[in-house]
Amino acid sequence: MDILSIIILGIVQGIAEFLPISSSAHLIIFRDIFGIGANMPLDMALSFDIALHLGTLLAIGLYFFKDFITMITKGLTKGVKDKEGKILWYLIIATIPAAIAGLLFEDVIEKIIRGNFYIIASALAIMGIIIYLADKYSKSTKTVQEMTLKDAILVGCSQMFALIPGFSRSGTTIAAARTLGIERENAAKFSFYLSAPVVCGAVVLELLDSKTWSIILAEPITFILGILISFVIGLICIKYLLKYLQNHNFKVFMIYRIIIAIIVVICTIIGG
């Protein structure tokens, strides 16, 4: 794959992983509809997507490094009695539904939905409206530290929908968190926290496959560059999204998702 395609896809992943617009859908759209990296074989494309996710995982780990250290330290020493410590256990519990769903249905979804642009477009538009309405009509009564176990489980269950390209992991979890009364910026933070174990699990599973390593070793520069770009862009995106959400709602993301959904439908019809 050419350098420009690697750069574009790395930027797309770095932005779309954290904005509630669906990184998986955008990687599919840019590759299969816009032709960016379209010459990449399917096995390599899937491995490259995992590499891009590794970049954004590293961005989460670095940006929230102090938060994660505090959660782990207090979670292991003080348990759920501590406001910071309980978040660790809530994240573990909230990750279980998506992990089970991923193991059971990811291959099926990849085969059935990955190439169905009408479903992807519908998911983009519908979820955009849901995110906006969930935010608009929900009160802000809780921070991450004030979440209950029930809140964490419900947000975790919502993450299962993110297996379908177009729904968005950050979008579904933020919408669920806002519906439960979690303050807007805190909803985004918990969404980012929650993405770490899920993405980490997916990366580890992919790297355990010897076939993945043969693909990576065949073109190491491609993967290293992709990881670095998604990492840097991801860091920037986390910072400015959290700042943006302090004073703005999700209307702009709803509008964008509807527009990109319309573009996907038009391109699919024209492409026949």
Short mmCIF file of all heavy atoms in Angstrom, two decimals, residues 188-210:
data_model
loop_
_atom_site.label_atom_id
_atom_site.label_comp_id
_atom_site.label_asym_id
_atom_site.label_seq_id
_atom_site.Cartn_x
_atom_site.Cartn_y
_atom_site.Cartn_z
N ALA A 188 -17.98 10.75 27.96
CA ALA A 188 -16.93 10.51 26.96
C ALA A 188 -15.72 9.86 27.62
O ALA A 188 -15.12 8.93 27.04
CB ALA A 188 -16.54 11.83 26.31
N LYS A 189 -15.34 10.31 28.80
CA LYS A 189 -14.20 9.73 29.50
C LYS A 189 -14.42 8.25 29.78
O LYS A 189 -13.53 7.41 29.54
CB LYS A 189 -13.93 10.47 30.81
CG LYS A 189 -13.19 11.78 30.66
CD LYS A 189 -12.86 12.35 32.03
CE LYS A 189 -12.07 13.64 31.91
NZ LYS A 189 -11.73 14.20 33.24
N PHE A 190 -15.59 7.91 30.30
CA PHE A 190 -15.86 6.50 30.61
C PHE A 190 -15.87 5.67 29.33
O PHE A 190 -15.41 4.52 29.32
CB PHE A 190 -17.19 6.34 31.34
CG PHE A 190 -17.42 4.95 31.87
CD1 PHE A 190 -16.74 4.50 32.99
CD2 PHE A 190 -18.30 4.08 31.23
CE1 PHE A 190 -16.92 3.21 33.47
CE2 PHE A 190 -18.50 2.80 31.71
CZ PHE A 190 -17.81 2.35 32.83
N SER A 191 -16.37 6.26 28.25
CA SER A 191 -16.35 5.58 26.96
C SER A 191 -14.93 5.27 26.53
O SER A 191 -14.63 4.17 26.05
CB SER A 191 -17.04 6.45 25.90
OG SER A 191 -16.90 5.89 24.61
N PHE A 192 -14.03 6.24 26.72
CA PHE A 192 -12.62 6.03 26.37
C PHE A 192 -11.99 4.98 27.27
O PHE A 192 -11.23 4.13 26.81
CB PHE A 192 -11.85 7.34 26.45
CG PHE A 192 -12.31 8.40 25.48
CD1 PHE A 192 -12.08 9.74 25.73
CD2 PHE A 192 -12.98 8.05 24.32
CE1 PHE A 192 -12.50 10.72 24.83
CE2 PHE A 192 -13.40 9.01 23.41
CZ PHE A 192 -13.15 10.35 23.67
N TYR A 193 -12.27 5.07 28.58
CA TYR A 193 -11.75 4.06 29.51
C TYR A 193 -12.19 2.67 29.05
O TYR A 193 -11.40 1.72 29.04
CB TYR A 193 -12.30 4.28 30.91
CG TYR A 193 -11.88 5.54 31.63
CD1 TYR A 193 -12.62 6.01 32.72
CD2 TYR A 193 -10.75 6.26 31.25
CE1 TYR A 193 -12.23 7.16 33.40
CE2 TYR A 193 -10.37 7.41 31.93
CZ TYR A 193 -11.12 7.86 33.01
OH TYR A 193 -10.75 8.99 33.68
N LEU A 194 -13.47 2.56 28.72
CA LEU A 194 -14.06 1.26 28.40
C LEU A 194 -13.53 0.68 27.10
O LEU A 194 -13.50 -0.55 26.92
CB LEU A 194 -15.59 1.41 28.31
CG LEU A 194 -16.44 0.14 28.21
CD1 LEU A 194 -16.14 -0.80 29.38
CD2 LEU A 194 -17.92 0.51 28.21
N SER A 195 -13.10 1.55 26.19
CA SER A 195 -12.58 1.05 24.92
C SER A 195 -11.24 0.36 25.09
O SER A 195 -10.88 -0.52 24.30
CB SER A 195 -12.44 2.20 23.91
OG SER A 195 -11.40 3.08 24.26
N ALA A 196 -10.49 0.75 26.12
CA ALA A 196 -9.13 0.21 26.30
C ALA A 196 -9.11 -1.32 26.44
O ALA A 196 -8.38 -1.99 25.68
CB ALA A 196 -8.46 0.88 27.49
N PRO A 197 -9.86 -1.91 27.37
CA PRO A 197 -9.79 -3.38 27.49
C PRO A 197 -10.34 -4.11 26.27
O PRO A 197 -9.83 -5.18 25.91
CB PRO A 197 -10.63 -3.68 28.75
CG PRO A 197 -11.50 -2.49 28.94
CD PRO A 197 -10.71 -1.33 28.44
N VAL A 198 -11.38 -3.55 25.63
CA VAL A 198 -11.96 -4.22 24.45
C VAL A 198 -10.98 -4.21 23.29
O VAL A 198 -10.74 -5.24 22.65
CB VAL A 198 -13.27 -3.51 24.03
CG1 VAL A 198 -13.78 -4.09 22.72
CG2 VAL A 198 -14.33 -3.69 25.11
N VAL A 199 -10.40 -3.04 23.01
CA VAL A 199 -9.43 -2.94 21.91
C VAL A 199 -8.19 -3.75 22.23
O VAL A 199 -7.63 -4.43 21.35
CB VAL A 199 -9.06 -1.46 21.65
CG1 VAL A 199 -7.96 -1.38 20.60
CG2 VAL A 199 -10.28 -0.68 21.21
N CYS A 200 -7.75 -3.71 23.49
CA CYS A 200 -6.57 -4.48 23.90
C CYS A 200 -6.79 -5.97 23.67
O CYS A 200 -5.91 -6.67 23.15
CB CYS A 200 -6.26 -4.21 25.37
SG CYS A 200 -4.77 -5.02 25.96
N GLY A 201 -7.98 -6.45 24.02
CA GLY A 201 -8.30 -7.86 23.81
C GLY A 201 -8.28 -8.23 22.34
O GLY A 201 -7.75 -9.29 21.96
N ALA A 202 -8.85 -7.36 21.50
CA ALA A 202 -8.88 -7.62 20.06
C ALA A 202 -7.47 -7.65 19.47
O ALA A 202 -7.14 -8.50 18.64
CB ALA A 202 -9.72 -6.55 19.36
N VAL A 203 -6.62 -6.72 19.93
CA VAL A 203 -5.24 -6.66 19.45
C VAL A 203 -4.47 -7.91 19.86
O VAL A 203 -3.76 -8.51 19.05
CB VAL A 203 -4.53 -5.39 19.99
CG1 VAL A 203 -3.03 -5.45 19.70
CG2 VAL A 203 -5.13 -4.13 19.38
N VAL A 204 -4.61 -8.31 21.12
CA VAL A 204 -3.91 -9.49 21.62
C VAL A 204 -4.33 -10.75 20.86
O VAL A 204 -3.48 -11.56 20.45
CB VAL A 204 -4.17 -9.67 23.13
CG1 VAL A 204 -3.63 -11.03 23.60
CG2 VAL A 204 -3.49 -8.56 23.92
N LEU A 205 -5.63 -10.91 20.65
CA LEU A 205 -6.13 -12.08 19.93
C LEU A 205 -5.57 -12.12 18.50
O LEU A 205 -5.21 -13.18 17.99
CB LEU A 205 -7.66 -12.07 19.88
CG LEU A 205 -8.38 -12.44 21.18
CD1 LEU A 205 -9.89 -12.28 21.02
CD2 LEU A 205 -8.06 -13.88 21.59
N GLU A 206 -5.51 -10.94 17.87
CA GLU A 206 -4.98 -10.88 16.50
C GLU A 206 -3.49 -11.22 16.48
O GLU A 206 -3.02 -11.93 15.58
CB GLU A 206 -5.22 -9.48 15.93
CG GLU A 206 -4.87 -9.32 14.46
CD GLU A 206 -5.83 -10.03 13.53
OE1 GLU A 206 -6.94 -10.40 13.98
OE2 GLU A 206 -5.46 -10.24 12.35
N LEU A 207 -2.76 -10.73 17.47
CA LEU A 207 -1.32 -10.96 17.51
C LEU A 207 -0.96 -12.40 17.89
O LEU A 207 0.17 -12.84 17.68
CB LEU A 207 -0.65 -9.98 18.48
CG LEU A 207 -0.68 -8.51 18.05
CD1 LEU A 207 -0.02 -7.64 19.12
CD2 LEU A 207 0.04 -8.33 16.71
N LEU A 208 -1.90 -13.12 18.47
CA LEU A 208 -1.66 -14.52 18.81
C LEU A 208 -1.70 -15.42 17.58
O LEU A 208 -1.27 -16.57 17.63
CB LEU A 208 -2.69 -15.01 19.85
CG LEU A 208 -2.54 -14.45 21.26
CD1 LEU A 208 -3.69 -14.92 22.15
CD2 LEU A 208 -1.20 -14.88 21.87
N ASP A 209 -2.24 -14.87 16.50
CA ASP A 209 -2.33 -15.62 15.24
C ASP A 209 -1.01 -15.49 14.47
O ASP A 209 -0.59 -14.38 14.12
CB ASP A 209 -3.49 -15.07 14.41
CG ASP A 209 -3.78 -15.92 13.17
OD1 ASP A 209 -2.92 -16.75 12.81
OD2 ASP A 209 -4.86 -15.74 12.58
N SER A 210 -0.36 -16.59 14.21
CA SER A 210 0.93 -16.57 13.52
C SER A 210 0.81 -15.97 12.11
O SER A 210 1.76 -15.38 11.59
CB SER A 210 1.50 -17.99 13.42
OG SER A 210 0.60 -18.85 12.75
#
